[in-house]
Amino acid sequence: MPTIIIRDDDTSYFTSPQRLAALYEPLWQAGLPVCLAVIPWVYGDTRVYWSDGNPHDPGIPPAYRGSQANYCILDNRELCHFLNKKVAAGLVEICLHGYAHTFYEFITHDRAAIRRKLDAGMALLERAFPAASIRTFVPPYDRISPVALEELIARGFHISTRSLNLAPVPQLPQISGFAAEEIKPGQKLFVCDDYLFSHKRDAAESLARARAALAKNDLIIISNHYWMFFHPWRSQPNPADFAAWQALLHDLLMREEWRIMTFSALAGGG
Ligand SMILES: [Zn+2]
């Protein structure tokens, strides 16, 4: 009987409610929650240095790629209004997803810089989503330094990331795959080592991986990026990827014994 957490990364100033609703409205209609990793102050000229040619981050709309400016989540009032209603209904957990979401933003060992970004990011999200209890951190690009992890532990954040970040921090449970374990009472680490859905993979293969993961794990974290279903920033979802996602949603909604939860709820923090 698996427990399922749905995490969607990269909601930002650039995100329209319609794109999120296209993917998650069936869950919300059924009263089921989604964890959104939200970028407070997204930087337009973010480049992905692990890819050939250092392309722009695909989560930034083409018209803004290369813009050397930051865009504040508060300035997308339609999105904030939409998400605040979802938060009030218990249908969305807002998670902190870095600050500007520049490449490897949290791999620095500069503790003062990490603290400034956490303070500033939290301040923006708390203004944007005043009723949200923001207790979970998702590192940009799923890479994070030991110093940043120590800072998150000290601040009491739940952490959702890949296992490859954990070895230098012995106080963290050394878990891998899909797993969750307590860091301290009331504070949990959630590991997700496989993004099941990817626009770089055949849609049928994404669906097969997700179904296989559900069949053999007690806990699954489905880590999506909403923009990948619209890649490269089309107005409508790519039909094959969208059909695969809808097929998985159908599975999730038909199996009433499967529990869909948020990070905070599973950690016992409500
Ligand atoms: Zn991200």
Side-chain angles (χ1 to χ4, degrees), residues 9-10 97 101 140-141 225:
D9 294 0
D10 294 353
H97 190 38
H101 196 265
Y141 302 92
H225 295 80

Side-chain angles (χ1 to χ4, degrees), residues 21-211:
L23 299 173
Y24 300 120
E25 195 57 45
L27 292 168
W28 290 332
Q29 289 289 335
L32 297 169
V34 176
C35 301
L36 295 179
V38 179
I39 307 166
W41 180 242
V42 64
Y43 182 59
D45 196 22
T46 297
R47 304 289 184 130
V48 182
Y49 294 112
W50 65 30
S51 298
D52 285 349
N54 304 339
H56 295 289
D57 185 308
I60 293 166
Y64 291 87
R65 289 176 193 166
S67 158
Q68 294 182 353
N70 291 76
Y71 298 86
C72 182
I73 189 78
L74 279 160
D75 291 331
N76 187 337
R77 289 168 165 266
E78 183 194 8
L79 175 72
C80 292
H81 179 68
F82 175 84
L83 291 182
N84 278 318
K85 285 196 293 185
K86 298 296 183 204
V87 167
L91 297 175
V92 160
E93 177 180 353
I94 302 285
C95 308
L96 179 61
H97 190 38
Y99 180 51
H101 196 265
T102 47
F103 192 70
Y104 281 8
E105 180 179 37
F106 274 79
I107 65 162
T108 176
H109 287 227
D110 180 342
R111 192 178 295 272
I114 291 164
R115 286 179 171 168
R116 275 197 307 275
K117 288 186 176 206
L118 290 174
D119 289 342
M122 281 297 285
L124 288 180
L125 290 195
E126 284 172 349
R127 282 174 63 199
F129 310 108
S133 172
I134 301 160
R135 304 189 53 219
T136 304
F137 186 89
V138 178
Y141 302 92
D142 250 328
R143 295 293 197 284
I144 185 162
S145 73
V147 174
L149 285 169
E150 287 166 14
E151 198 61 31
L152 294 173
I153 294 167
R155 290 177 183 229
F157 278 99
H158 311 307
I159 301 163
S160 173
T161 192
R162 299 175 76 95
S163 61
L164 56 77
N165 296 302
L166 306 178
V169 186
Q171 75 222 78
L172 286 173
Q174 299 297 311
I175 51 178
S176 61
F178 295 102
E181 207 161 300
E182 206 164 70
I183 304 168
K184 293 191 282 203
Q187 184 183 24
K188 257 195 157 97
L189 170 69
F190 297 88
V191 161
C192 169
D193 282 339
D194 187 357
Y195 293 175
L196 299 166
F197 282 81
S198 167
H199 63 292
K200 296 176 180 171
R201 197 183 281 147
D202 179 71
E205 192 193 334
S206 289
L207 178 59
R209 288 170 86 102
R211 284 178 166 156

